[in-house]
Amino acid sequence: MKLTLIFILCAHISFSQNIKGIVLCEKTKEPLIGVNIYLKNKNVGTATNERGEFNLIIQSKVNDKDTIYFSYIGYETKKLSLSELKEKEYTVYLSISIENINEVTIVSNKFLKHSIEYKKLSSLEDGLYSFGSLLIEEKIWA
């Protein structure tokens, strides 16, 4: 029984693949914490730790042409194939992306609504690991 369990665990581990690397800010060269890393066609993802390091564990074989996405709020999303990531020695630099938004006015004399109106959206084709939201004309946009 124990031998069978060990054999199954070894077979499972041998099929998994780890991709390790680091994500840094292109301008400051400092590590970015919480960057989302996503391998689209395998539906797996992870995030960077406090040192900007990531470990993407994949349970199946990865092709050199498979695309890995790196996204972080305030930075441009970067798409790299596995072969490009290898060429960069598993170090990814993200560029700052600044977007101007309209002025926000806070008013305290309005009454709150009892419910929020919303429109149900269709399901996403890909996984979502984080998102931001914005309040425009009393509507929340995510």
Coordinates of all heavy atoms in Angstrom, one line a residue, residues 2-72:
K2 N 1.9 1.3 0.9 CA 2.7 2.5 1.0 C 3.5 2.6 -0.3 O 3.8 3.7 -0.8 CB 3.7 2.4 2.2 CG 3.0 2.6 3.5 CD 3.9 2.5 4.6 CE 3.2 2.6 6.0 NZ 4.2 2.6 7.1
L3 N 4.0 1.5 -0.8 CA 4.8 1.6 -2.1 C 4.0 2.1 -3.2 O 4.5 2.9 -4.0 CB 5.3 0.1 -2.4 CG 6.2 0.0 -3.6 CD1 7.5 0.9 -3.4 CD2 6.7 -1.4 -3.8
T4 N 2.7 1.7 -3.3 CA 1.8 2.2 -4.4 C 1.6 3.7 -4.2 O 1.6 4.5 -5.2 CB 0.4 1.5 -4.3 OG1 0.6 0.1 -4.4 CG2 -0.5 2.0 -5.4
L5 N 1.4 4.2 -3.0 CA 1.2 5.6 -2.8 C 2.5 6.4 -3.1 O 2.4 7.5 -3.8 CB 0.8 5.9 -1.3 CG 0.6 7.3 -0.9 CD1 -0.6 7.8 -1.7 CD2 0.3 7.4 0.6
I6 N 3.6 5.9 -2.8 CA 4.9 6.6 -3.1 C 5.0 6.6 -4.7 O 5.4 7.7 -5.2 CB 6.1 5.9 -2.5 CG1 6.0 6.1 -1.0 CG2 7.4 6.4 -3.0 CD1 7.0 5.3 -0.2
F7 N 4.7 5.6 -5.3 CA 4.8 5.5 -6.8 C 3.9 6.6 -7.5 O 4.3 7.3 -8.4 CB 4.5 4.1 -7.3 CG 4.5 4.0 -8.8 CD1 5.7 4.0 -9.5 CD2 3.3 3.9 -9.5 CE1 5.7 3.9 -10.9 CE2 3.3 3.8 -10.9 CZ 4.6 3.8 -11.6
I8 N 2.7 6.7 -7.0 CA 1.7 7.6 -7.5 C 2.2 9.1 -7.3 O 2.1 9.9 -8.2 CB 0.3 7.4 -6.9 CG1 -0.3 6.1 -7.4 CG2 -0.6 8.6 -7.2 CD1 -1.6 5.7 -6.7
L9 N 2.7 9.4 -6.1 CA 3.2 10.7 -5.8 C 4.4 11.0 -6.6 O 4.5 12.2 -7.2 CB 3.5 10.8 -4.3 CG 2.4 10.9 -3.4 CD1 2.8 10.9 -1.9 CD2 1.5 12.1 -3.6
C10 N 5.3 10.1 -6.8 CA 6.5 10.3 -7.7 C 6.1 10.6 -9.1 O 6.7 11.5 -9.8 CB 7.5 9.2 -7.6 SG 8.3 9.1 -6.0
A11 N 5.1 9.8 -9.6 CA 4.7 10.0 -11.0 C 4.0 11.4 -11.2 O 4.2 12.1 -12.2 CB 3.7 8.9 -11.4
H12 N 3.2 11.8 -10.2 CA 2.6 13.2 -10.2 C 3.6 14.3 -10.2 O 3.5 15.2 -10.9 CB 1.6 13.3 -9.0 CG 0.9 14.6 -9.0 ND1 0.0 15.0 -9.9 CD2 1.1 15.6 -8.1 CE1 -0.4 16.2 -9.6 NE2 0.2 16.6 -8.5
I13 N 4.6 14.1 -9.3 CA 5.7 15.2 -9.2 C 6.5 15.2 -10.5 O 6.9 16.3 -10.9 CB 6.6 14.9 -8.0 CG1 5.7 15.1 -6.7 CG2 7.8 15.8 -8.0 CD1 6.4 14.7 -5.5
S14 N 6.8 14.1 -11.1 CA 7.6 14.1 -12.3 C 7.0 14.8 -13.5 O 7.6 15.3 -14.4 CB 8.0 12.7 -12.7 OG 6.8 12.0 -13.1
F15 N 5.6 14.9 -13.5 CA 4.9 15.6 -14.6 C 4.8 17.1 -14.4 O 4.5 17.8 -15.3 CB 3.5 15.0 -14.8 CG 3.6 13.6 -15.4 CD1 3.1 12.6 -14.7 CD2 4.1 13.4 -16.7 CE1 3.1 11.3 -15.2 CE2 4.2 12.1 -17.2 CZ 3.6 11.1 -16.5
S16 N 5.1 17.6 -13.2 CA 5.0 19.0 -12.9 C 6.2 19.7 -13.3 O 7.3 19.1 -13.4 CB 4.6 19.3 -11.5 OG 5.7 18.9 -10.6
Q17 N 6.1 21.0 -13.7 CA 7.2 21.8 -14.1 C 7.2 23.1 -13.3 O 6.1 23.7 -13.2 CB 7.1 22.0 -15.6 CG 8.3 22.8 -16.2 CD 8.2 22.8 -17.7 OE1 7.3 22.3 -18.3 NE2 9.1 23.5 -18.3
N18 N 8.3 23.6 -12.9 CA 8.4 24.9 -12.2 C 9.1 25.9 -13.0 O 10.1 25.6 -13.6 CB 9.1 24.7 -10.8 CG 8.4 23.9 -9.8 OD1 7.3 23.5 -10.0 ND2 9.0 23.6 -8.7
I19 N 8.5 27.1 -13.1 CA 9.2 28.2 -13.7 C 9.4 29.3 -12.6 O 8.5 29.8 -12.1 CB 8.3 28.8 -14.9 CG1 8.0 27.7 -15.9 CG2 9.0 30.0 -15.5 CD1 7.1 28.2 -17.0
K20 N 10.7 29.5 -12.3 CA 11.0 30.5 -11.3 C 11.7 31.7 -11.9 O 12.4 31.6 -12.9 CB 12.0 29.8 -10.3 CG 11.4 28.7 -9.5 CD 12.4 28.1 -8.5 CE 11.8 27.0 -7.7 NZ 12.7 26.5 -6.7
G21 N 11.4 32.9 -11.3 CA 12.0 34.1 -11.8 C 11.8 35.2 -10.8 O 11.4 35.1 -9.7
I22 N 12.1 36.4 -11.3 CA 11.9 37.7 -10.5 C 11.3 38.8 -11.4 O 11.6 38.8 -12.6 CB 13.3 38.1 -9.9 CG1 13.0 39.2 -8.9 CG2 14.3 38.4 -10.9 CD1 14.2 39.5 -8.0
V23 N 10.5 39.6 -10.8 CA 9.9 40.8 -11.5 C 10.4 42.0 -10.9 O 10.2 42.2 -9.6 CB 8.4 40.7 -11.6 CG1 7.8 41.8 -12.3 CG2 7.9 39.4 -12.1
L24 N 10.9 43.0 -11.7 CA 11.5 44.2 -11.2 C 10.8 45.4 -11.9 O 10.4 45.3 -13.0 CB 13.0 44.3 -11.4 CG 13.8 43.1 -10.8 CD1 15.2 43.2 -11.3 CD2 13.8 43.2 -9.3
C25 N 10.9 46.6 -11.3 CA 10.4 47.8 -11.9 C 11.5 48.2 -12.9 O 12.7 48.3 -12.5 CB 10.2 48.9 -10.8 SG 9.8 50.5 -11.5
E26 N 11.1 48.5 -14.1 CA 12.1 48.9 -15.1 C 12.9 50.2 -14.7 O 14.1 50.3 -15.0 CB 11.4 49.1 -16.5 CG 12.4 49.3 -17.6 CD 11.6 49.4 -18.9 OE1 10.7 50.2 -19.1 OE2 11.9 48.5 -19.8
K27 N 12.2 51.1 -14.1 CA 12.7 52.4 -13.8 C 13.7 52.4 -12.5 O 14.8 52.9 -12.6 CB 11.6 53.5 -13.5 CG 12.1 54.9 -13.3 CD 10.9 55.8 -13.2 CE 11.4 57.2 -12.9 NZ 10.3 58.2 -12.8
T28 N 13.2 51.8 -11.5 CA 13.9 51.8 -10.2 C 14.7 50.5 -10.0 O 15.6 50.5 -9.1 CB 12.9 51.9 -9.0 OG1 12.1 50.7 -8.9 CG2 12.1 53.2 -9.1
K29 N 14.5 49.5 -10.7 CA 15.2 48.2 -10.6 C 14.8 47.5 -9.2 O 15.6 46.6 -8.8 CB 16.7 48.3 -10.8 CG 17.1 49.0 -12.0 CD 16.7 48.3 -13.3 CE 17.3 48.9 -14.5 NZ 16.4 49.5 -15.4
E30 N 13.8 47.9 -8.6 CA 13.4 47.3 -7.3 C 12.3 46.2 -7.6 O 11.6 46.3 -8.5 CB 12.8 48.4 -6.4 CG 13.8 49.5 -6.1 CD 13.6 50.1 -4.7 OE1 12.6 49.7 -4.0 OE2 14.3 51.1 -4.4
P31 N 12.3 45.2 -6.7 CA 11.3 44.1 -6.8 C 9.9 44.6 -6.7 O 9.6 45.5 -5.9 CB 11.7 43.1 -5.7 CG 12.6 43.8 -4.8 CD 13.2 45.0 -5.5
L32 N 9.0 44.0 -7.4 CA 7.6 44.4 -7.3 C 6.8 43.2 -6.6 O 6.9 42.1 -7.0 CB 7.0 44.5 -8.7 CG 7.5 45.7 -9.5 CD1 7.0 45.7 -10.9 CD2 7.3 47.0 -8.8
I33 N 6.1 43.6 -5.6 CA 5.4 42.6 -4.7 C 4.0 42.5 -5.2 O 3.3 43.5 -5.5 CB 5.4 43.1 -3.3 CG1 6.8 43.3 -2.8 CG2 4.6 42.1 -2.4 CD1 6.8 44.1 -1.5
G34 N 3.5 41.2 -5.4 CA 2.1 41.0 -5.8 C 1.8 41.1 -7.3 O 0.7 41.2 -7.7
V35 N 2.9 41.0 -8.1 CA 2.6 40.9 -9.6 C 1.9 39.6 -9.9 O 2.3 38.6 -9.4 CB 4.0 41.1 -10.3 CG1 3.7 40.9 -11.8 CG2 4.7 42.4 -10.0
N36 N 0.9 39.7 -10.8 CA 0.2 38.5 -11.2 C 0.9 37.9 -12.4 O 1.1 38.6 -13.4 CB -1.3 38.9 -11.6 CG -2.0 39.4 -10.4 OD1 -2.2 38.7 -9.5 ND2 -2.4 40.6 -10.4
I37 N 1.2 36.6 -12.3 CA 1.8 35.9 -13.4 C 0.8 34.8 -13.8 O 0.3 34.1 -13.0 CB 3.1 35.2 -13.0 CG1 4.1 36.3 -12.6 CG2 3.7 34.4 -14.1 CD1 4.3 36.5 -11.2
Y38 N 0.5 34.7 -15.1 CA -0.5 33.8 -15.6 C -0.1 33.1 -16.9 O 0.3 33.8 -17.8 CB -1.8 34.6 -15.8 CG -3.0 33.9 -16.3 CD1 -3.7 33.0 -15.4 CD2 -3.5 34.0 -17.6 CE1 -4.8 32.3 -15.8 CE2 -4.6 33.3 -18.0 CZ -5.2 32.4 -17.1 OH -6.3 31.7 -17.6
L39 N -0.2 31.8 -16.9 CA 0.1 31.1 -18.2 C -1.3 30.7 -18.8 O -2.0 29.9 -18.2 CB 0.9 29.8 -17.8 CG 1.3 28.9 -19.0 CD1 2.2 29.7 -19.9 CD2 2.0 27.7 -18.5
K40 N -1.6 31.4 -19.8 CA -3.0 31.4 -20.4 C -3.5 30.0 -20.7 O -4.5 29.6 -20.3 CB -3.1 32.3 -21.6 CG -4.5 32.5 -22.1 CD -4.5 33.5 -23.2 CE -5.9 33.7 -23.7 NZ -6.0 34.7 -24.7
N41 N -2.8 29.3 -21.6 CA -3.4 28.0 -22.1 C -3.3 26.9 -21.1 O -3.8 25.8 -21.4 CB -2.7 27.7 -23.5 CG -1.2 27.5 -23.3 OD1 -0.6 27.9 -22.4 ND2 -0.6 26.9 -24.3
K42 N -2.7 27.1 -20.0 CA -2.6 26.0 -18.9 C -3.5 26.4 -17.8 O -3.7 25.6 -16.8 CB -1.2 25.8 -18.4 CG -0.2 25.4 -19.5 CD -0.5 24.1 -20.0 CE 0.6 23.7 -21.1 NZ 0.3 22.5 -21.8
N43 N -4.1 27.6 -17.8 CA -5.0 28.1 -16.7 C -4.3 28.0 -15.3 O -5.0 27.5 -14.4 CB -6.3 27.4 -16.7 CG -7.3 27.9 -17.7 OD1 -7.1 29.1 -18.2 ND2 -8.2 27.2 -18.2
V44 N -3.1 28.4 -15.2 CA -2.4 28.4 -13.9 C -1.8 29.8 -13.7 O -1.5 30.5 -14.7 CB -1.3 27.4 -13.8 CG1 -1.9 26.0 -13.8 CG2 -0.3 27.5 -14.9
G45 N -1.7 30.2 -12.5 CA -1.2 31.5 -12.2 C -0.6 31.6 -10.8 O -0.8 30.7 -10.0
T46 N 0.2 32.6 -10.5 CA 0.8 32.9 -9.2 C 1.0 34.3 -9.0 O 0.7 35.1 -9.9 CB 2.1 32.0 -9.0 OG1 2.5 32.1 -7.7 CG2 3.2 32.5 -10.0
A47 N 1.6 34.8 -7.9 CA 2.0 36.2 -7.7 C 3.4 36.2 -7.1 O 3.9 35.2 -6.5 CB 1.0 36.8 -6.8
T48 N 4.0 37.4 -7.3 CA 5.4 37.5 -6.7 C 5.3 37.7 -5.2 O 4.4 38.3 -4.7 CB 6.1 38.7 -7.4 OG1 5.3 39.9 -7.2 CG2 6.4 38.5 -8.8
N49 N 6.4 37.3 -4.5 CA 6.5 37.5 -3.1 C 7.1 38.9 -2.8 O 7.3 39.7 -3.6 CB 7.3 36.3 -2.4 CG 8.7 36.3 -2.9 OD1 9.3 37.2 -3.5 ND2 9.4 35.1 -2.7
E50 N 7.5 39.1 -1.5 CA 8.1 40.4 -1.1 C 9.4 40.7 -1.7 O 9.9 41.8 -1.6 CB 8.1 40.4 0.5 CG 9.1 39.4 1.1 CD 8.5 38.1 1.3 OE1 7.3 37.9 1.1 OE2 9.3 37.1 1.7
R51 N 10.1 39.7 -2.3 CA 11.4 39.9 -3.0 C 11.2 40.0 -4.5 O 12.2 40.0 -5.2 CB 12.4 38.8 -2.6 CG 12.8 38.9 -1.1 CD 13.8 37.8 -0.7 NE 13.3 36.5 -1.0 CZ 12.5 35.7 -0.2 NH1 12.1 36.2 0.9 NH2 12.2 34.5 -0.6
G52 N 9.9 40.0 -4.9 CA 9.6 40.1 -6.4 C 9.8 38.7 -7.1 O 9.7 38.6 -8.3
E53 N 10.0 37.7 -6.3 CA 10.2 36.3 -6.9 C 8.9 35.6 -7.1 O 8.0 35.8 -6.4 CB 11.1 35.5 -6.0 CG 12.5 36.1 -5.7 CD 13.2 35.5 -4.5 OE1 12.5 34.8 -3.7 OE2 14.4 35.6 -4.5
F54 N 8.9 34.8 -8.2 CA 7.7 33.9 -8.4 C 8.1 32.5 -8.7 O 9.3 32.2 -9.1 CB 6.9 34.5 -9.6 CG 7.6 34.4 -10.9 CD1 7.4 33.3 -11.8 CD2 8.4 35.5 -11.4 CE1 8.1 33.3 -13.0 CE2 9.0 35.5 -12.6 CZ 8.8 34.4 -13.4
N55 N 7.2 31.6 -8.5 CA 7.4 30.2 -8.7 C 6.1 29.7 -9.3 O 5.1 29.5 -8.6 CB 7.7 29.4 -7.5 CG 8.0 28.0 -7.7 OD1 8.2 27.6 -8.9 ND2 8.0 27.1 -6.7
L56 N 6.0 29.5 -10.7 CA 4.9 29.1 -11.4 C 4.9 27.6 -11.5 O 5.8 27.1 -12.2 CB 4.8 29.8 -12.7 CG 3.5 29.6 -13.6 CD1 2.3 30.2 -12.8 CD2 3.7 30.3 -14.9
I57 N 4.0 26.9 -10.8 CA 4.0 25.4 -10.9 C 3.0 24.9 -11.8 O 1.8 25.2 -11.7 CB 3.7 24.8 -9.5 CG1 4.8 25.3 -8.5 CG2 3.7 23.3 -9.5 CD1 4.5 25.0 -7.0
I58 N 3.4 24.2 -12.9 CA 2.6 23.7 -13.9 C 2.5 22.2 -13.9 O 3.6 21.6 -13.8 CB 3.0 24.2 -15.3 CG1 3.1 25.8 -15.2 CG2 2.1 23.8 -16.4 CD1 4.2 26.3 -16.1
Q59 N 1.3 21.6 -14.0 CA 1.2 20.2 -13.9 C 1.4 19.4 -15.2 O 1.3 18.2 -15.2 CB -0.2 19.8 -13.2 CG -0.4 20.4 -11.9 CD 0.6 19.9 -10.9 OE1 1.1 18.8 -10.9 NE2 1.0 20.7 -9.9
S60 N 1.6 20.2 -16.3 CA 1.8 19.5 -17.6 C 3.0 20.2 -18.3 O 3.5 21.2 -17.9 CB 0.5 19.6 -18.4 OG 0.2 21.0 -18.6
K61 N 3.4 19.6 -19.4 CA 4.5 20.1 -20.2 C 4.2 21.4 -20.8 O 3.1 21.7 -21.3 CB 4.9 19.1 -21.3 CG 6.0 19.5 -22.2 CD 7.2 18.6 -21.9 CE 8.4 18.9 -22.9 NZ 9.2 20.0 -22.4
V62 N 5.2 22.3 -20.7 CA 5.0 23.7 -21.3 C 5.9 23.8 -22.5 O 7.0 23.4 -22.6 CB 5.5 24.8 -20.3 CG1 5.4 26.1 -20.8 CG2 4.7 24.6 -19.0
N63 N 5.3 24.4 -23.6 CA 5.9 24.6 -24.8 C 6.7 25.9 -24.8 O 6.3 26.8 -24.1 CB 4.8 24.7 -25.9 CG 5.4 24.7 -27.3 OD1 6.4 25.3 -27.6 ND2 4.6 24.1 -28.2
D64 N 7.8 26.0 -25.5 CA 8.6 27.3 -25.5 C 7.8 28.4 -26.1 O 8.2 29.6 -25.8 CB 9.9 27.1 -26.3 CG 11.0 26.5 -25.5 OD1 10.9 26.3 -24.2 OD2 12.1 26.1 -26.0
K65 N 6.8 28.2 -26.8 CA 6.0 29.3 -27.4 C 4.8 29.7 -26.6 O 4.1 30.6 -26.9 CB 5.5 28.8 -28.8 CG 6.7 28.7 -29.8 CD 6.2 28.3 -31.2 CE 7.4 28.1 -32.1 NZ 6.9 27.8 -33.4
D66 N 4.6 28.9 -25.5 CA 3.5 29.3 -24.6 C 3.7 30.7 -24.0 O 4.8 31.1 -23.7 CB 3.3 28.3 -23.4 CG 2.7 27.0 -23.9 OD1 2.1 26.9 -25.0 OD2 2.9 26.0 -23.2
T67 N 2.6 31.5 -23.9 CA 2.7 32.9 -23.4 C 2.4 33.0 -22.0 O 1.5 32.5 -21.5 CB 1.7 33.8 -24.2 OG1 2.0 33.6 -25.6 CG2 1.9 35.2 -23.8
I68 N 3.3 33.7 -21.3 CA 3.2 34.0 -19.9 C 2.9 35.5 -19.7 O 3.6 36.3 -20.3 CB 4.5 33.6 -19.1 CG1 4.8 32.1 -19.3 CG2 4.3 33.9 -17.6 CD1 6.1 31.7 -18.8
Y69 N 1.9 35.9 -19.0 CA 1.4 37.2 -18.8 C 1.9 37.7 -17.4 O 1.8 37.0 -16.4 CB -0.1 37.4 -18.9 CG -0.6 37.1 -20.2 CD1 -0.8 35.8 -20.7 CD2 -1.0 38.1 -21.1 CE1 -1.3 35.5 -21.9 CE2 -1.5 37.8 -22.4 CZ -1.6 36.5 -22.8 OH -2.2 36.3 -24.0
F70 N 2.4 39.0 -17.4 CA 2.8 39.6 -16.1 C 2.0 40.9 -16.0 O 2.2 41.8 -16.8 CB 4.3 39.9 -16.1 CG 5.2 38.7 -16.3 CD1 5.5 38.1 -17.5 CD2 5.7 38.1 -15.1 CE1 6.2 37.0 -17.6 CE2 6.5 36.9 -15.2 CZ 6.8 36.4 -16.5
S71 N 1.1 41.0 -15.0 CA 0.3 42.2 -14.9 C 0.4 42.7 -13.4 O 0.4 42.0 -12.5 CB -1.1 41.9 -15.3 OG -1.7 41.0 -14.4
Y72 N 0.3 44.1 -13.3 CA 0.4 44.7 -12.0 C -0.2 46.1 -12.2 O 0.0 46.8 -13.2 CB 1.9 44.9 -11.6 CG 2.1 45.2 -10.2 CD1 1.7 44.5 -9.2 CD2 2.9 46.3 -9.9 CE1 1.9 44.8 -7.9 CE2 3.2 46.7 -8.6 CZ 2.7 45.9 -7.6 OH 3.0 46.2 -6.3

